[in-house]
Amino acid sequence: MPEIDLDATAHEHAAHLRAGDYTARALAEATLARVQAQEPALNAYITLTEERALAQADAADVRLRAGESGPLIGVPIAIKDLLCTRGVRTTAGSHMLEPFVPFYDATVVARLDAAGAVTVGKANLDEFAMGSSTEFSAFGPTHNPWDLDRVPGGSSGGSAATVAARGVPLSIGTDTGGSIRQPAALCGILGLKPTYGRVSRFGVVAFASSLEQVGPFGRDAEDVARLLGVIAGPDERDATTAPMPVPDYTADFGRGLGGLRVGVPQQFLDRGLGPGVGEAIEQAIAVFEREGAIIDRSVTLPSADAALAVYYLIAPSEASANLARYDGVKYGFSYHEGGSVEEDMAETRGRGFGSEVKRRIMLGTYALSTGYYDAYYLKAQRVRTTISREFDAAFADHDLILTPTSPTTAFRLGEKLSDPYAMYLNDLFTIPVNIGGNPAISVPAGFAEGLPVGLHLIGRHFEEGTLLRAAHAYATLTDWHMRRPPATPAS
Ligand code: GLN
């Protein structure tokens, strides 16, 4: 029997499992051992789910022996601890939900289970997915496998770090303003935010419902495409899912970059990029051009510059409503000290939520209050519409828009903690995409000062296939996605 190579991609594992080279059980055991060995350095998980993983692996082995094939049967995966898992606590990275054990699975979790995936654990995140560094987790920060003194990005930092460290080949994140793409960039892997409405949000702990989507992380485009194919599609439990069939997202993989019309908005490249980031992106653009893509640097998205302001009104407004449910009565943490109902409720919220979450609730409550609603929330919604229309106009004669994923590479732990605005600026390039509801992917595009840089490709609504075609072609030509971080133990 060949040795299990834990650095393999999901599709490589799937082929070995089908061929009977090793069992799903053996793969699960080896994966759990590596993940456990890496945890002291990374803290990528809030909860490891060994029992669930081994039971799923045994079930996968039965299916494999019966000759079933599928891209995820027996393949290990990590799930951001924002998605409900039946019988497994789901914390959202918050003290507020520390004791919360859901009695149902999120639709995405149920689909992964039905597809035969093996859930290794619930990955660390910023509290309620609010943040860009995973430092706002109530369970301690995750560390970047490229440099353990640096952040992995966020909010899906645990999901990104464990894939980058070769703990698991695949993981699931969520992206409200960049939380899949930015950690993918900072950890040197691929991460895709699907079109709004492409993937069910049922069973995902809500932050800003009109902006967020669940999406895949992986180490090559094929894995990301296959995982998206499993989780995407309409869901009768989420009325915002689009009633559209799910295509084969690898269908255009042979087509290369030739003929793609790529808009490069100069405004994004002039925005104070960190050392080496602009150079890496220019080199990526040169690869696209050499391979026959048509680069257009005249495209502009004038209102995208207002996207951050729009986001920090709309997202906190929705958060203030969504988080009103945590009152110490219905879910999770509850504080009683014999006070009045109101006093206990206030204490529960005061002690249960961290500082960034409180900041968002206050911002949102303010923006929605009488007298300020028109001036802030309504105006933000109007600008949101303008930003969406500008994207639509740009996509009338472009197939892709290309930017850096993040203005900088991974920053040091603690560096931006005391400056919320500096933290918010991380998402300068990713947030406009959530405002427009478009799909986008981050692909490894080289290194600056030894740290990964991400290339950000944005597409038309429901054209994830084009993003993946380009990501596959670019990654195959450059091989940046094959680089392995040095900082974590291998087994
Ligand atoms: N960093 C952004 C925020 O803090 C985006 C988070 C996300 O995408 N969930 O809101």
Side-chain angles (χ1 to χ4, degrees):
M1 268 202 178
E3 291 240 331
I4 299 178
D5 174 11
L6 287 177
D7 286 15
T9 60
H11 58 89
E12 288 165 350
H13 281 312
H16 282 296
L17 289 164
R18 263 198 308 277
D21 292 338
Y22 42 81
T23 62
R25 171 117 195 163
L27 176 57
E29 283 171 350
T31 300
L32 284 163
R34 178 180 276 189
V35 163
Q36 270 153 357
Q38 295 180 334
E39 267 307 88
L42 293 183
N43 194 34
Y45 293 85
I46 292 174
T47 307
L48 288 173
T49 52
E50 293 97 333
E51 256 175 58
R52 186 178 170 120
L54 294 177
Q56 285 174 323
D58 289 342
D61 279 326
V62 172
R63 290 169 69 172
L64 287 162
R65 275 198 299 274
E68 241 192 274
S69 69
L72 298 188
I73 303 181
V75 175
I77 192 165
I79 296 176
K80 186 177 188 178
D81 201 19
L82 195 68
L83 281 79
C84 286
T85 37
R86 185 164 33 122
V88 175
R89 82 176 170 150
T90 299
T91 69
S94 179
H95 279 310
M96 191 58 101
L97 285 176
E98 205 170 339
F100 174 53
V101 179
F103 54 87
Y104 65 100
D105 280 330
T107 295
V108 165
V109 172
R111 286 184 182 173
L112 290 170
D113 190 47
V118 171
T119 310
V120 169
K122 305 293 298 289
N124 201 3
L125 69 156
D126 286 295
E127 185 175 6
F128 287 100
M130 299 176 189
S132 304
S133 68
T134 318
E135 292 169 291
F136 292 131
S137 169
F139 300 86
T142 296
H143 299 253
N144 190 317
W146 289 93
D147 177 346
L148 296 173
D149 294 331
R150 293 176 188 268
V151 304
S155 63
S156 313
S159 301
T162 185
V163 170
R166 275 62 179 163
V168 285
L170 297 174
S171 67
I172 292 288
T174 68
D175 189 313
T176 312
S179 280
I180 292 174
R181 292 161 286 157
Q182 184 257 14
L186 271 47
C187 289
I189 60 170
L190 289 87
L192 184 145
K193 181 199 87 77
T195 311
Y196 187 78
R198 182 70 290 194
V199 178
S200 171
R201 288 178 297 108
F202 176 77
V204 181
V205 176
F207 159 21
S209 312
S210 78
L211 296 161
E212 55 215 12
Q213 278 290 290
V214 178
F217 285 101
R219 291 195 302 264
D220 72 8
E222 177 165 353
D223 276 4
V224 171
R226 302 253 183 243
L227 179 52
L228 178 62
V230 168
I231 64 173
D235 176 14
E236 60 179 22
R237 290 172 160 147
D238 176 356
T240 62
T241 50
M244 293 169 68
V246 177
D248 173 358
Y249 288 114
T250 64
D252 290 333
F253 270 19
R255 294 180 61 196
L257 298 170
L260 284 173
R261 295 164 303 170
V262 182
V264 181
Q266 197 58 39
Q267 77 205 83
F268 290 97
L269 291 172
D270 296 339
R271 288 300 284 268
L273 301 178
V277 174
E279 289 81 345
I281 299 303
E282 286 300 341
Q283 278 171 22
I285 295 170
V287 172
F288 273 69
E289 210 155 24
R290 191 188 76 211
E291 297 295 318
I294 302 139
I295 303 292
D296 171 17
R297 291 182 184 261
S298 71
V299 65
T300 55
L301 297 160
S303 307
D305 290 339
L308 212 61
V310 167
Y311 177 88
Y312 279 100
L313 287 166
I314 293 176
S317 295
E318 294 185 19
S320 75
N322 274 328
L323 272 60
R325 72 191 68 176
Y326 304 104
D327 54 8
V329 178
K330 297 191 277 295
Y331 298 88
F333 174 69
S334 184
Y335 183 84
H336 305 278
E337 207 162 62
S340 66
V341 173
E342 289 77 11
E343 280 162 0
D344 281 352
M345 217 176 259
E347 279 295 325
T348 296
R349 289 171 69 81
R351 289 162 190 259
F353 290 135
S355 59
E356 181 63 23
V357 173
K358 287 179 188 160
R359 183 176 5 253
R360 307 278 177 116
I361 292 173
M362 287 191 286
L363 270 172
T365 307
Y366 181 79
L368 291 176
S369 54
T370 315
Y372 297 105
Y373 182 91
D374 288 2
Y376 294 113
Y377 183 74
L378 205 62
K379 193 190 262 176
Q381 291 291 15
R382 293 213 172 97
V383 182
R384 177 177 193 170
T385 304
T386 307
I387 294 171
S388 295
R389 290 202 179 124
E390 287 175 6
F391 268 118
D392 291 346
F395 281 119
D397 46 14
H398 299 92
D399 303 303
L400 295 173
I401 291 174
L402 181 158
T403 77
T405 305
S406 178
T408 69
T409 53
F411 45 95
R412 289 188 186 284
L413 285 151
E415 194 178 317
K416 299 191 181 178
L417 259 185
S418 57
D419 184 351
Y421 188 62
M423 193 70 97
Y424 296 173
L425 279 174
N426 271 287
D427 300 310
L428 200 57
F429 307 142
T430 49
I431 276 179
V433 181
N434 301 71
I435 303 280
N438 298 68
I441 193 167
S442 182
V443 193
F447 293 81
E449 300 179 331
L451 295 166
V453 174
L455 175 71
H456 189 213
L457 302 172
I458 312 166
R460 288 193 198 94
H461 290 117
F462 297 102
E463 293 193 6
E464 285 84 358
T466 308
L467 297 177
L468 287 157
R469 162 193 167 186
H472 175 72
Y474 173 75
T476 312
L477 287 161
T478 54
D479 267 3
W480 298 119
H481 65 302
M482 306 292 284
R483 305 292 172 95
R484 193 181 194 291
T488 38
S491 65

